Amino acid sequence: MSDLAPLLVALPVFGSVVALLAGLARDRVGWAVAVLTLVVQTAVAGTLMADVLGSEAIRYVVGGFTVPIGIELVVDGLSATIALLVAVVSLGVLAYARRAGPRSNAFYVIYLLLVAGLSGMSITGDIFNMYVFLEITGLTAYALVASGDGGRSAIAGLKYLLVGTVGASLFLLGIGFAYIATGTLNMGDLATQLAEVGYGSPLVLAAFGLLVVGLFVKIAVFPLHTWQPAAYAGAPDSVSAFISALVSTVAAYALIRIVFTVFGTEFLAATPLASTVLAAGAVVSIVVGSLLAVSQSELKRMLAYSSVSQFGLIVGAVAVGNVVALTGAAIHLVGHAIMKGGLFLAVGLVNDVTGARTVDEYAGLAKRSPVGAAAFSVLAVAMVGVPPAVGFVGKWYIALGAVEAGAWPLVVVIFASTLLTLAYFARVVERIYFRDSTETSGLAPTATDGGEDDAPEPVVSVGMRATVVAAAVVAVALGAVAAGYGDLLEPTIEGLLS
Amino acid sequence: MTGLEALADRLYYLAAFLLLGIGTYTLIGSQNLVKKVIGMNVFQTGIFLFFIAAAFITGASPPLLTAPAPYVSPLPHVLILTAIVVGVSLTAVALGLIVRIYDEYGTLNEETLREVQADE
């Protein structure tokens, strides 16, 4: 079954070429090609996930070169989880994007390339290969952000490009230092060679610092998050849902890989400063991200700052670095992707139905867009961490891990983060259900200006509503299976930490 | 004298980090979007030079089978070839976006753009 692994990268690349060529002959064929590709992609990722969860990792060497010279693909429980998440979320967003757009063929070509980059990052076992996939992910994400109408998305895309490139370049520089120290690029080989070089070596320390800071930019940890709010707010709704759900998630997964597979727990034990930097990044990100989220008036910007805060939790789990906390990190990565993606889609749905984009305009929304309002509220409550939703399980594991490690400052911040999350979501949910709309007519949906005879295309399709509702249902349902999944993941995490 | 010799040995690294500094400064300090992209390119060039300098061994020949051993390490050259391709694509996307921004707003000055956006 190990031959399935390279398909995770090859399939979406192939699909994007097909979409490009088919687009020359026929318009609007991109969506169908993308759906077909991603259905197969989901099946492949699901098969791999079933194969590796609770058993040995699958290793595949590309091109027949021997390891450590050749590029290796490694699929273990964690990487299979992320690959499956990428496939499922990208398929879900497609159901929404069919009506909501952007509808051009080029959009689907880039969309599939982004899926290839994300899948590649999650299964590669070679650090330079990871850089290449990081840049593919980056390039396509910049292009997707800029695919909205108007200058705002172009400026957001350019800003994202400049900051993101610096992050990826720092990552590359870190690879340079690691390569000079060891002469290898294979992650497993790096782990043993770095130990031989000695964890006190300036080359090794510089490599760690540059790799981690580079990924902090991509994850959008405060204060390196500056690209994120503009990019999420400027992009079209389907794109902000897709990017917020996956791009930072996969970068956070890469951080786990770099810190634990490449450097290992012994490095963290030998270098207390490294754990301190990670913990400090986590704490600042959680607190400042939440405070900035509370002060936003535009919904999409608020959700963007919420991501800064939630990824602080993941970095916190990496700083703690024990089995329980990392299981929590994996669960929260998946849960956050579903919840945040769903929230952005719900915001997009509400905007298409009522035109409301700011917190104040959400007053009395329950009457105007019952489906969007209900889904938004369920997802918001799940994000706060109310049981039995998945948001609760992830945070619970991370907090439990922090308690186990005796990292008390982090424990306090994690519990405070729940209250802070409540602070920015409660004011929205309160407006939705307990306030009357301030204006009754001003924001009429665009569909009403068509005559009765030529029945205009409804702005919101069944697919859009279904996707949003499905995200809300999944966010709650995953909470029930998350603990069982955590048990299955435990051997993988233990292997990662040994 | 030894200090000077040590410096001469590391001249390429010095140049690489000088380029990194210049690139970062232009990227942050310049108000003009095109100059920011140029700064990004200079920054990346510094990293390329860093890799290539690391591969060099004094007195070694190019990695060709016809040349006598020892060879300089060929792997960083290959890596940087990939990184250059990535850099070119990034520049292309960035310039494409800049053209769009100029069409929309008629300016490439960051400060002016921020004022225009605030008015929207």
Side-chain angles (χ1 to χ4, degrees), chain A residues 128 135 142 146 148 150-153 158 165-166 169 172 176 179-180, chain B residues 27 43-44 47 50-51 54 73 75 79 86 90 93 97 100 104-105 117:
Chain A
F128 187 78
E135 284 284 32
Y142 312 147
R152 190 188 179 193
S153 62
L158 187 66
T165 304
V166 171
S169 300
L172 178 62
Y179 178 72
I180 290 170
Chain B
L27 191 58
F43 181 78
Q44 289 183 311
I47 297 177
F50 174 78
F51 267 79
S73 171
L75 187 62
L79 301 182
V86 170
L90 279 167
V93 174
L97 290 178
R100 254 185 70 187
E104 190 89 20
Y105 298 104
Q117 275 207 306

PDB file of all heavy atoms in Angstrom, chain A residues 128 135 142 146 148 150-153 158 165-166 169 172 176 179-180, chain B residues 27 43-44 47 50-51 54 73 75 79 86 90 93 97 100 104-105 117:
ATOM      1  N   PHE A 128      14.272  19.963   2.711  1.00  0.00           N
ATOM      2  CA  PHE A 128      14.283  20.907   1.595  1.00  0.00           C
ATOM      3  C   PHE A 128      13.019  20.748   0.758  1.00  0.00           C
ATOM      4  O   PHE A 128      12.449  21.722   0.270  1.00  0.00           O
ATOM      5  CB  PHE A 128      15.522  20.721   0.712  1.00  0.00           C
ATOM      6  CG  PHE A 128      15.638  21.789  -0.342  1.00  0.00           C
ATOM      7  CD1 PHE A 128      16.108  23.045  -0.010  1.00  0.00           C
ATOM      8  CD2 PHE A 128      15.245  21.555  -1.643  1.00  0.00           C
ATOM      9  CE1 PHE A 128      16.189  24.045  -0.958  1.00  0.00           C
ATOM     10  CE2 PHE A 128      15.317  22.557  -2.597  1.00  0.00           C
ATOM     11  CZ  PHE A 128      15.803  23.813  -2.255  1.00  0.00           C
ATOM     12  N   GLU A 135       6.687  26.791  -0.344  1.00  0.00           N
ATOM     13  CA  GLU A 135       6.626  27.885  -1.314  1.00  0.00           C
ATOM     14  C   GLU A 135       5.496  27.672  -2.319  1.00  0.00           C
ATOM     15  O   GLU A 135       4.866  28.636  -2.749  1.00  0.00           O
ATOM     16  CB  GLU A 135       7.966  28.027  -2.053  1.00  0.00           C
ATOM     17  CG  GLU A 135       9.040  28.686  -1.207  1.00  0.00           C
ATOM     18  CD  GLU A 135       8.872  30.193  -1.061  1.00  0.00           C
ATOM     19  OE1 GLU A 135       7.721  30.665  -1.049  1.00  0.00           O
ATOM     20  OE2 GLU A 135       9.885  30.893  -0.942  1.00  0.00           O
ATOM     21  N   TYR A 142      -1.118  33.190  -2.167  1.00  0.00           N
ATOM     22  CA  TYR A 142      -1.086  34.622  -2.527  1.00  0.00           C
ATOM     23  C   TYR A 142      -2.011  34.884  -3.704  1.00  0.00           C
ATOM     24  O   TYR A 142      -2.771  35.855  -3.715  1.00  0.00           O
ATOM     25  CB  TYR A 142       0.333  35.083  -2.918  1.00  0.00           C
ATOM     26  CG  TYR A 142       1.445  34.678  -1.973  1.00  0.00           C
ATOM     27  CD1 TYR A 142       2.720  34.390  -2.454  1.00  0.00           C
ATOM     28  CD2 TYR A 142       1.231  34.601  -0.602  1.00  0.00           C
ATOM     29  CE1 TYR A 142       3.742  34.012  -1.602  1.00  0.00           C
ATOM     30  CE2 TYR A 142       2.247  34.220   0.251  1.00  0.00           C
ATOM     31  CZ  TYR A 142       3.495  33.916  -0.249  1.00  0.00           C
ATOM     32  OH  TYR A 142       4.501  33.532   0.585  1.00  0.00           O
ATOM     33  N   ALA A 146      -5.534  37.141  -3.846  1.00  0.00           N
ATOM     34  CA  ALA A 146      -5.666  38.259  -4.777  1.00  0.00           C
ATOM     35  C   ALA A 146      -6.747  38.020  -5.821  1.00  0.00           C
ATOM     36  O   ALA A 146      -7.000  38.887  -6.650  1.00  0.00           O
ATOM     37  CB  ALA A 146      -4.331  38.514  -5.466  1.00  0.00           C
ATOM     38  N   GLY A 148      -9.886  37.984  -5.487  1.00  0.00           N
ATOM     39  CA  GLY A 148     -11.108  38.755  -5.295  1.00  0.00           C
ATOM     40  C   GLY A 148     -11.146  39.970  -6.204  1.00  0.00           C
ATOM     41  O   GLY A 148     -10.145  40.327  -6.820  1.00  0.00           O
ATOM     42  N   GLY A 150     -11.400  43.976  -7.112  1.00  0.00           N
ATOM     43  CA  GLY A 150     -10.994  45.232  -6.483  1.00  0.00           C
ATOM     44  C   GLY A 150      -9.582  45.244  -5.974  1.00  0.00           C
ATOM     45  O   GLY A 150      -8.898  44.232  -5.906  1.00  0.00           O
ATOM     46  N   GLY A 151      -9.156  46.460  -5.607  1.00  0.00           N
ATOM     47  CA  GLY A 151      -7.774  46.657  -5.202  1.00  0.00           C
ATOM     48  C   GLY A 151      -7.472  46.104  -3.833  1.00  0.00           C
ATOM     49  O   GLY A 151      -6.337  45.767  -3.532  1.00  0.00           O
ATOM     50  N   ARG A 152      -8.502  46.001  -2.988  1.00  0.00           N
ATOM     51  CA  ARG A 152      -8.250  45.585  -1.611  1.00  0.00           C
ATOM     52  C   ARG A 152      -7.608  44.205  -1.553  1.00  0.00           C
ATOM     53  O   ARG A 152      -6.645  43.977  -0.820  1.00  0.00           O
ATOM     54  CB  ARG A 152      -9.577  45.572  -0.850  1.00  0.00           C
ATOM     55  CG  ARG A 152      -9.387  45.393   0.639  1.00  0.00           C
ATOM     56  CD  ARG A 152     -10.740  45.193   1.294  1.00  0.00           C
ATOM     57  NE  ARG A 152     -10.557  45.003   2.730  1.00  0.00           N
ATOM     58  CZ  ARG A 152     -11.509  44.554   3.530  1.00  0.00           C
ATOM     59  NH1 ARG A 152     -12.689  44.246   3.050  1.00  0.00           N
ATOM     60  NH2 ARG A 152     -11.284  44.395   4.802  1.00  0.00           N
ATOM     61  N   SER A 153      -8.125  43.267  -2.358  1.00  0.00           N
ATOM     62  CA  SER A 153      -7.572  41.918  -2.303  1.00  0.00           C
ATOM     63  C   SER A 153      -6.184  41.879  -2.931  1.00  0.00           C
ATOM     64  O   SER A 153      -5.331  41.094  -2.507  1.00  0.00           O
ATOM     65  CB  SER A 153      -8.511  40.925  -2.984  1.00  0.00           C
ATOM     66  OG  SER A 153      -8.651  41.243  -4.337  1.00  0.00           O
ATOM     67  N   LEU A 158      -0.464  41.118  -2.008  1.00  0.00           N
ATOM     68  CA  LEU A 158       0.939  41.546  -2.098  1.00  0.00           C
ATOM     69  C   LEU A 158       1.581  41.593  -0.715  1.00  0.00           C
ATOM     70  O   LEU A 158       2.722  41.167  -0.524  1.00  0.00           O
ATOM     71  CB  LEU A 158       1.028  42.921  -2.765  1.00  0.00           C
ATOM     72  CG  LEU A 158       2.459  43.376  -3.050  1.00  0.00           C
ATOM     73  CD1 LEU A 158       3.107  42.494  -4.093  1.00  0.00           C
ATOM     74  CD2 LEU A 158       2.519  44.819  -3.487  1.00  0.00           C
ATOM     75  N   THR A 165       7.070  35.531   2.024  1.00  0.00           N
ATOM     76  CA  THR A 165       8.343  35.181   1.401  1.00  0.00           C
ATOM     77  C   THR A 165       9.492  35.327   2.386  1.00  0.00           C
ATOM     78  O   THR A 165      10.406  34.496   2.413  1.00  0.00           O
ATOM     79  CB  THR A 165       8.598  36.077   0.177  1.00  0.00           C
ATOM     80  OG1 THR A 165       7.504  35.935  -0.699  1.00  0.00           O
ATOM     81  CG2 THR A 165       9.867  35.685  -0.525  1.00  0.00           C
ATOM     82  N   VAL A 166       9.446  36.377   3.205  1.00  0.00           N
ATOM     83  CA  VAL A 166      10.495  36.532   4.217  1.00  0.00           C
ATOM     84  C   VAL A 166      10.466  35.329   5.163  1.00  0.00           C
ATOM     85  O   VAL A 166      11.515  34.752   5.485  1.00  0.00           O
ATOM     86  CB  VAL A 166      10.320  37.851   4.993  1.00  0.00           C
ATOM     87  CG1 VAL A 166      11.279  37.902   6.171  1.00  0.00           C
ATOM     88  CG2 VAL A 166      10.556  39.030   4.077  1.00  0.00           C
ATOM     89  N   SER A 169      11.872  32.357   3.372  1.00  0.00           N
ATOM     90  CA  SER A 169      13.308  32.526   3.157  1.00  0.00           C
ATOM     91  C   SER A 169      14.087  32.255   4.435  1.00  0.00           C
ATOM     92  O   SER A 169      15.174  31.666   4.396  1.00  0.00           O
ATOM     93  CB  SER A 169      13.614  33.932   2.652  1.00  0.00           C
ATOM     94  OG  SER A 169      12.956  34.157   1.438  1.00  0.00           O
ATOM     95  N   LEU A 172      14.392  28.683   4.735  1.00  0.00           N
ATOM     96  CA  LEU A 172      15.442  28.185   3.837  1.00  0.00           C
ATOM     97  C   LEU A 172      16.817  28.422   4.445  1.00  0.00           C
ATOM     98  O   LEU A 172      17.696  27.554   4.392  1.00  0.00           O
ATOM     99  CB  LEU A 172      15.320  28.875   2.476  1.00  0.00           C
ATOM    100  CG  LEU A 172      16.369  28.504   1.431  1.00  0.00           C
ATOM    101  CD1 LEU A 172      16.291  27.037   1.085  1.00  0.00           C
ATOM    102  CD2 LEU A 172      16.193  29.330   0.161  1.00  0.00           C
ATOM    103  N   GLY A 176      19.799  25.846   5.463  1.00  0.00           N
ATOM    104  CA  GLY A 176      21.207  26.021   5.122  1.00  0.00           C
ATOM    105  C   GLY A 176      22.103  25.740   6.312  1.00  0.00           C
ATOM    106  O   GLY A 176      23.084  24.995   6.211  1.00  0.00           O
ATOM    107  N   TYR A 179      22.080  22.108   7.138  1.00  0.00           N
ATOM    108  CA  TYR A 179      22.810  21.335   6.131  1.00  0.00           C
ATOM    109  C   TYR A 179      24.310  21.476   6.327  1.00  0.00           C
ATOM    110  O   TYR A 179      25.066  20.509   6.222  1.00  0.00           O
ATOM    111  CB  TYR A 179      22.397  21.786   4.725  1.00  0.00           C
ATOM    112  CG  TYR A 179      23.139  21.056   3.642  1.00  0.00           C
ATOM    113  CD1 TYR A 179      22.866  19.726   3.359  1.00  0.00           C
ATOM    114  CD2 TYR A 179      24.151  21.690   2.916  1.00  0.00           C
ATOM    115  CE1 TYR A 179      23.558  19.046   2.389  1.00  0.00           C
ATOM    116  CE2 TYR A 179      24.858  21.015   1.944  1.00  0.00           C
ATOM    117  CZ  TYR A 179      24.560  19.690   1.677  1.00  0.00           C
ATOM    118  OH  TYR A 179      25.258  19.007   0.723  1.00  0.00           O
ATOM    119  N   ILE A 180      24.757  22.715   6.627  1.00  0.00           N
ATOM    120  CA  ILE A 180      26.197  22.927   6.843  1.00  0.00           C
ATOM    121  C   ILE A 180      26.659  22.138   8.070  1.00  0.00           C
ATOM    122  O   ILE A 180      27.744  21.564   8.087  1.00  0.00           O
ATOM    123  CB  ILE A 180      26.483  24.429   6.996  1.00  0.00           C
ATOM    124  CG1 ILE A 180      26.282  25.129   5.656  1.00  0.00           C
ATOM    125  CG2 ILE A 180      27.911  24.663   7.492  1.00  0.00           C
ATOM    126  CD1 ILE A 180      26.309  26.623   5.735  1.00  0.00           C
TER     127      ILE A 180
ATOM    128  N   LEU B  27      13.101  46.247   2.051  1.00  0.00           N
ATOM    129  CA  LEU B  27      11.755  45.668   2.166  1.00  0.00           C
ATOM    130  C   LEU B  27      10.917  46.430   3.188  1.00  0.00           C
ATOM    131  O   LEU B  27       9.740  46.694   2.975  1.00  0.00           O
ATOM    132  CB  LEU B  27      11.899  44.196   2.579  1.00  0.00           C
ATOM    133  CG  LEU B  27      10.680  43.297   2.530  1.00  0.00           C
ATOM    134  CD1 LEU B  27      10.125  43.275   1.130  1.00  0.00           C
ATOM    135  CD2 LEU B  27      11.057  41.898   2.946  1.00  0.00           C
ATOM    136  N   PHE B  43      17.280  40.140  -0.734  1.00  0.00           N
ATOM    137  CA  PHE B  43      17.265  39.289   0.453  1.00  0.00           C
ATOM    138  C   PHE B  43      17.451  37.821   0.060  1.00  0.00           C
ATOM    139  O   PHE B  43      18.272  37.102   0.635  1.00  0.00           O
ATOM    140  CB  PHE B  43      15.926  39.500   1.172  1.00  0.00           C
ATOM    141  CG  PHE B  43      15.752  38.701   2.432  1.00  0.00           C
ATOM    142  CD1 PHE B  43      16.359  39.099   3.606  1.00  0.00           C
ATOM    143  CD2 PHE B  43      14.965  37.561   2.446  1.00  0.00           C
ATOM    144  CE1 PHE B  43      16.192  38.372   4.766  1.00  0.00           C
ATOM    145  CE2 PHE B  43      14.801  36.829   3.604  1.00  0.00           C
ATOM    146  CZ  PHE B  43      15.417  37.240   4.770  1.00  0.00           C
ATOM    147  N   GLN B  44      16.708  37.402  -0.964  1.00  0.00           N
ATOM    148  CA  GLN B  44      16.820  35.998  -1.395  1.00  0.00           C
ATOM    149  C   GLN B  44      18.189  35.713  -1.997  1.00  0.00           C
ATOM    150  O   GLN B  44      18.756  34.639  -1.781  1.00  0.00           O
ATOM    151  CB  GLN B  44      15.725  35.681  -2.404  1.00  0.00           C
ATOM    152  CG  GLN B  44      14.353  35.628  -1.759  1.00  0.00           C
ATOM    153  CD  GLN B  44      13.285  35.230  -2.749  1.00  0.00           C
ATOM    154  OE1 GLN B  44      13.206  35.783  -3.838  1.00  0.00           O
ATOM    155  NE2 GLN B  44      12.460  34.277  -2.375  1.00  0.00           N
ATOM    156  N   ILE B  47      20.640  34.714   0.504  1.00  0.00           N
ATOM    157  CA  ILE B  47      20.534  33.305   0.922  1.00  0.00           C
ATOM    158  C   ILE B  47      21.169  32.384  -0.119  1.00  0.00           C
ATOM    159  O   ILE B  47      21.877  31.440   0.222  1.00  0.00           O
ATOM    160  CB  ILE B  47      19.060  32.933   1.156  1.00  0.00           C
ATOM    161  CG1 ILE B  47      18.513  33.777   2.295  1.00  0.00           C
ATOM    162  CG2 ILE B  47      18.913  31.460   1.475  1.00  0.00           C
ATOM    163  CD1 ILE B  47      17.072  33.553   2.580  1.00  0.00           C
ATOM    164  N   PHE B  50      24.813  32.453   0.268  1.00  0.00           N
ATOM    165  CA  PHE B  50      25.185  31.741   1.489  1.00  0.00           C
ATOM    166  C   PHE B  50      25.326  30.244   1.217  1.00  0.00           C
ATOM    167  O   PHE B  50      26.301  29.606   1.622  1.00  0.00           O
ATOM    168  CB  PHE B  50      24.123  32.010   2.558  1.00  0.00           C
ATOM    169  CG  PHE B  50      24.306  31.234   3.829  1.00  0.00           C
ATOM    170  CD1 PHE B  50      25.254  31.621   4.756  1.00  0.00           C
ATOM    171  CD2 PHE B  50      23.530  30.117   4.098  1.00  0.00           C
ATOM    172  CE1 PHE B  50      25.428  30.912   5.931  1.00  0.00           C
ATOM    173  CE2 PHE B  50      23.701  29.403   5.270  1.00  0.00           C
ATOM    174  CZ  PHE B  50      24.650  29.805   6.183  1.00  0.00           C
ATOM    175  N   PHE B  51      24.360  29.680   0.508  1.00  0.00           N
ATOM    176  CA  PHE B  51      24.403  28.243   0.192  1.00  0.00           C
ATOM    177  C   PHE B  51      25.601  27.920  -0.697  1.00  0.00           C
ATOM    178  O   PHE B  51      26.323  26.951  -0.457  1.00  0.00           O
ATOM    179  CB  PHE B  51      23.112  27.826  -0.543  1.00  0.00           C
ATOM    180  CG  PHE B  51      22.036  27.315   0.374  1.00  0.00           C
ATOM    181  CD1 PHE B  51      21.254  28.201   1.085  1.00  0.00           C
ATOM    182  CD2 PHE B  51      21.806  25.960   0.520  1.00  0.00           C
ATOM    183  CE1 PHE B  51      20.256  27.739   1.922  1.00  0.00           C
ATOM    184  CE2 PHE B  51      20.802  25.492   1.359  1.00  0.00           C
ATOM    185  CZ  PHE B  51      20.028  26.392   2.058  1.00  0.00           C
ATOM    186  N   ALA B  54      28.869  28.033   1.026  1.00  0.00           N
ATOM    187  CA  ALA B  54      29.047  26.896   1.937  1.00  0.00           C
ATOM    188  C   ALA B  54      29.520  25.658   1.189  1.00  0.00           C
ATOM    189  O   ALA B  54      30.173  24.793   1.767  1.00  0.00           O
ATOM    190  CB  ALA B  54      27.737  26.602   2.651  1.00  0.00           C
ATOM    191  N   SER B  73      30.935  20.535  -3.263  1.00  0.00           N
ATOM    192  CA  SER B  73      29.675  19.836  -3.082  1.00  0.00           C
ATOM    193  C   SER B  73      28.651  20.298  -4.118  1.00  0.00           C
ATOM    194  O   SER B  73      28.362  21.488  -4.225  1.00  0.00           O
ATOM    195  CB  SER B  73      29.145  20.105  -1.673  1.00  0.00           C
ATOM    196  OG  SER B  73      27.855  19.609  -1.569  1.00  0.00           O
ATOM    197  N   LEU B  75      25.413  19.433  -4.266  1.00  0.00           N
ATOM    198  CA  LEU B  75      24.015  19.451  -3.827  1.00  0.00           C
ATOM    199  C   LEU B  75      23.470  20.872  -3.605  1.00  0.00           C
ATOM    200  O   LEU B  75      22.382  21.189  -4.093  1.00  0.00           O
ATOM    201  CB  LEU B  75      23.861  18.591  -2.567  1.00  0.00           C
ATOM    202  CG  LEU B  75      22.421  18.397  -2.111  1.00  0.00           C
ATOM    203  CD1 LEU B  75      21.612  17.664  -3.166  1.00  0.00           C
ATOM    204  CD2 LEU B  75      22.354  17.636  -0.800  1.00  0.00           C
ATOM    205  N   LEU B  79      20.013  22.651  -5.017  1.00  0.00           N
ATOM    206  CA  LEU B  79      18.976  23.230  -4.159  1.00  0.00           C
ATOM    207  C   LEU B  79      18.699  24.672  -4.568  1.00  0.00           C
ATOM    208  O   LEU B  79      17.550  25.106  -4.670  1.00  0.00           O
ATOM    209  CB  LEU B  79      19.409  23.194  -2.692  1.00  0.00           C
ATOM    210  CG  LEU B  79      19.720  21.838  -2.074  1.00  0.00           C
ATOM    211  CD1 LEU B  79      20.073  22.017  -0.613  1.00  0.00           C
ATOM    212  CD2 LEU B  79      18.529  20.911  -2.205  1.00  0.00           C
ATOM    213  N   VAL B  86      11.807  29.274  -7.662  1.00  0.00           N
ATOM    214  CA  VAL B  86      10.756  29.748  -6.761  1.00  0.00           C
ATOM    215  C   VAL B  86      10.785  31.278  -6.685  1.00  0.00           C
ATOM    216  O   VAL B  86       9.753  31.945  -6.760  1.00  0.00           O
ATOM    217  CB  VAL B  86      10.942  29.134  -5.356  1.00  0.00           C
ATOM    218  CG1 VAL B  86      10.030  29.793  -4.362  1.00  0.00           C
ATOM    219  CG2 VAL B  86      10.691  27.649  -5.396  1.00  0.00           C
ATOM    220  N   LEU B  90       7.859  33.981  -7.589  1.00  0.00           N
ATOM    221  CA  LEU B  90       7.374  34.945  -6.599  1.00  0.00           C
ATOM    222  C   LEU B  90       7.423  36.355  -7.159  1.00  0.00           C
ATOM    223  O   LEU B  90       6.472  37.131  -7.022  1.00  0.00           O
ATOM    224  CB  LEU B  90       8.234  34.874  -5.335  1.00  0.00           C
ATOM    225  CG  LEU B  90       7.909  33.754  -4.374  1.00  0.00           C
ATOM    226  CD1 LEU B  90       9.015  33.606  -3.352  1.00  0.00           C
ATOM    227  CD2 LEU B  90       6.601  34.055  -3.664  1.00  0.00           C
ATOM    228  N   VAL B  93       4.594  36.879  -9.657  1.00  0.00           N
ATOM    229  CA  VAL B  93       3.288  37.080  -9.015  1.00  0.00           C
ATOM    230  C   VAL B  93       3.233  38.470  -8.384  1.00  0.00           C
ATOM    231  O   VAL B  93       2.250  39.208  -8.521  1.00  0.00           O
ATOM    232  CB  VAL B  93       3.028  35.989  -7.956  1.00  0.00           C
ATOM    233  CG1 VAL B  93       1.755  36.289  -7.187  1.00  0.00           C
ATOM    234  CG2 VAL B  93       2.924  34.632  -8.606  1.00  0.00           C
ATOM    235  N   LEU B  97       0.640  41.536  -9.289  1.00  0.00           N
ATOM    236  CA  LEU B  97      -0.239  42.197  -8.316  1.00  0.00           C
ATOM    237  C   LEU B  97      -0.010  43.704  -8.323  1.00  0.00           C
ATOM    238  O   LEU B  97      -0.952  44.494  -8.218  1.00  0.00           O
ATOM    239  CB  LEU B  97       0.013  41.634  -6.909  1.00  0.00           C
ATOM    240  CG  LEU B  97      -0.445  40.204  -6.688  1.00  0.00           C
ATOM    241  CD1 LEU B  97      -0.086  39.752  -5.290  1.00  0.00           C
ATOM    242  CD2 LEU B  97      -1.943  40.097  -6.903  1.00  0.00           C
ATOM    243  N   ARG B 100      -1.837  45.353 -11.050  1.00  0.00           N
ATOM    244  CA  ARG B 100      -3.264  45.487 -10.713  1.00  0.00           C
ATOM    245  C   ARG B 100      -3.503  46.643  -9.757  1.00  0.00           C
ATOM    246  O   ARG B 100      -4.457  47.404  -9.896  1.00  0.00           O
ATOM    247  CB  ARG B 100      -3.764  44.190 -10.069  1.00  0.00           C
ATOM    248  CG  ARG B 100      -4.635  43.383 -10.996  1.00  0.00           C
ATOM    249  CD  ARG B 100      -5.207  42.194 -10.284  1.00  0.00           C
ATOM    250  NE  ARG B 100      -6.208  42.547  -9.284  1.00  0.00           N
ATOM    251  CZ  ARG B 100      -6.746  41.662  -8.449  1.00  0.00           C
ATOM    252  NH1 ARG B 100      -6.373  40.411  -8.502  1.00  0.00           N
ATOM    253  NH2 ARG B 100      -7.644  42.044  -7.567  1.00  0.00           N
ATOM    254  N   GLU B 104      -5.666  50.104 -10.361  1.00  0.00           N
ATOM    255  CA  GLU B 104      -6.807  50.416  -9.510  1.00  0.00           C
ATOM    256  C   GLU B 104      -6.668  51.790  -8.849  1.00  0.00           C
ATOM    257  O   GLU B 104      -7.604  52.570  -8.818  1.00  0.00           O
ATOM    258  CB  GLU B 104      -6.906  49.322  -8.430  1.00  0.00           C
ATOM    259  CG  GLU B 104      -8.172  49.363  -7.622  1.00  0.00           C
ATOM    260  CD  GLU B 104      -9.268  48.538  -8.287  1.00  0.00           C
ATOM    261  OE1 GLU B 104      -8.938  47.662  -9.140  1.00  0.00           O
ATOM    262  OE2 GLU B 104     -10.421  48.770  -7.975  1.00  0.00           O
ATOM    263  N   TYR B 105      -5.487  52.068  -8.320  1.00  0.00           N
ATOM    264  CA  TYR B 105      -5.309  53.261  -7.497  1.00  0.00           C
ATOM    265  C   TYR B 105      -4.431  54.337  -8.128  1.00  0.00           C
ATOM    266  O   TYR B 105      -4.404  55.464  -7.652  1.00  0.00           O
ATOM    267  CB  TYR B 105      -4.702  52.879  -6.141  1.00  0.00           C
ATOM    268  CG  TYR B 105      -5.570  51.965  -5.318  1.00  0.00           C
ATOM    269  CD1 TYR B 105      -5.277  50.616  -5.196  1.00  0.00           C
ATOM    270  CD2 TYR B 105      -6.696  52.462  -4.663  1.00  0.00           C
ATOM    271  CE1 TYR B 105      -6.072  49.780  -4.448  1.00  0.00           C
ATOM    272  CE2 TYR B 105      -7.502  51.628  -3.910  1.00  0.00           C
ATOM    273  CZ  TYR B 105      -7.189  50.283  -3.799  1.00  0.00           C
ATOM    274  OH  TYR B 105      -7.979  49.460  -3.056  1.00  0.00           O
ATOM    275  N   GLN B 117      -7.185  53.506   1.095  1.00  0.00           N
ATOM    276  CA  GLN B 117      -7.958  52.379   1.640  1.00  0.00           C
ATOM    277  C   GLN B 117      -8.789  52.812   2.839  1.00  0.00           C
ATOM    278  O   GLN B 117      -9.907  52.343   3.027  1.00  0.00           O
ATOM    279  CB  GLN B 117      -7.002  51.261   2.051  1.00  0.00           C
ATOM    280  CG  GLN B 117      -6.658  50.366   0.894  1.00  0.00           C
ATOM    281  CD  GLN B 117      -6.296  48.983   1.378  1.00  0.00           C
ATOM    282  OE1 GLN B 117      -5.423  48.837   2.230  1.00  0.00           O
ATOM    283  NE2 GLN B 117      -6.943  47.986   0.843  1.00  0.00           N
TER     284      GLN B 117
END
